[in-house]
Amino acid sequence: SELDGTAGDLIMVFIGDDSGRTDNNRTALFYSIYDNGKWSEPKQIDNDGTADAFPNLSTDNKDTYAIWLDMPERIGDLSKVSSDYITENIIGKMKLEIAKYDPSKNNWGKVLSPETYGLNKLPQIATDGGKTIAAWVSNPGKKAVGTKESPDDIYFVYNNGTGWTAPKAFITNSVNVNE
C-alpha cells in the first residue's frame, strides 16, 4: 500500500519467522517500508512472544491500519494432540488486533481489540478519508469451516474518525465463508 501518496513510498505487512521463539510461537507480524528504491529492515508490529496470523493492511495516504489474529498466550507442546484440538483450542483462542502506524515515530500502536465469541478468521481492513472499517468471520462453534450445524457470522467495526463502534454482526448463519 502507498504510504503518503507519493510514488515509491510503500508499506507491507507479512507473517515472518521469529527464530528466538519456541516452535509453536514463531509466527510474527512484521512490516517493512519501501523508500528510495529499497525495502527497510523488517520490524515486528507487536512483539508479545505469541503467534500471529492472517494480517491485512490498508492505507489512505494519511492513516495506515493493520488487522491480524494474535494468540493471547504462548502455545505449548502440540505433538500429541489432534487437528480438531488445535482448531478449537489454539486457533479458536486467537484474538483480533487492530493497530495504527505512526510515521513520525516509525512504529505501530494498538487501537482496538474487537471481541467476538468463537473462532475468528479472514480479517480485512479498509480506510479512506479518515474513516476505517474492519470485518472478519467468526464461527461460534469454533469450527474452521462454517457448516449448517455450525455456521459462520461476519462482523465489522467502524471508525468514522472520532472512535470505533462495538463489533456488530451483519451476516449471520452463513455456510462456509472462505474469502
Side-chain angles (χ1 to χ4, degrees), residues 16-143:
D17 180 46
D18 183 336
S19 61
R21 296 182 185 177
T22 61
D23 286 348
N24 292 326
N25 295 288
R26 291 175 75 123
T27 58
L29 180 59
F30 289 86
Y31 75 100
S32 181
I33 297 172
Y34 186 81
D35 189 26
N36 294 319
K38 181 177 160 183
W39 286 103
S40 67
E41 184 69 28
K43 295 181 185 176
Q44 288 189 42
I45 288 180
D46 180 44
N47 187 358
D48 61 3
T50 65
D52 301 317
F54 304 107
N56 190 256
L57 174 74
S58 182
T59 186
D60 66 357
N61 303 323
K62 179 179 170 273
D63 295 321
T64 301
Y65 289 93
I67 188 171
W68 71 98
L69 294 177
D70 180 45
M71 190 67 192
E73 60 196 43
R74 287 189 171 91
I75 302 169
D77 179 24
L78 298 175
S79 62
K80 296 182 176 147
V81 298
S82 69
S83 61
D84 286 341
Y85 177 90
I86 291 170
T87 299
E88 292 179 25
N89 297 290
I90 304 299
I91 299 170
K93 286 184 179 178
M94 294 189 91
K95 303 293 182 191
L96 292 153
E97 296 290 352
I98 298 174
K100 184 177 181 181
Y101 178 68
D102 182 342
S104 68
K105 296 178 182 173
N106 189 28
N107 69 9
W108 295 79
K110 285 187 185 176
V111 294
L112 189 66
S113 300
E115 298 252 350
T116 51
Y117 178 77
L119 183 146
N120 295 308
K121 55 188 176 177
L122 305 173
Q124 299 289 309
I125 196 159
T127 190
D128 188 37
K131 298 175 182 173
T132 305
I133 190 166
W136 64 94
V137 178
S138 182
N139 185 288
K142 295 189 176 184
K143 301 298 181 192

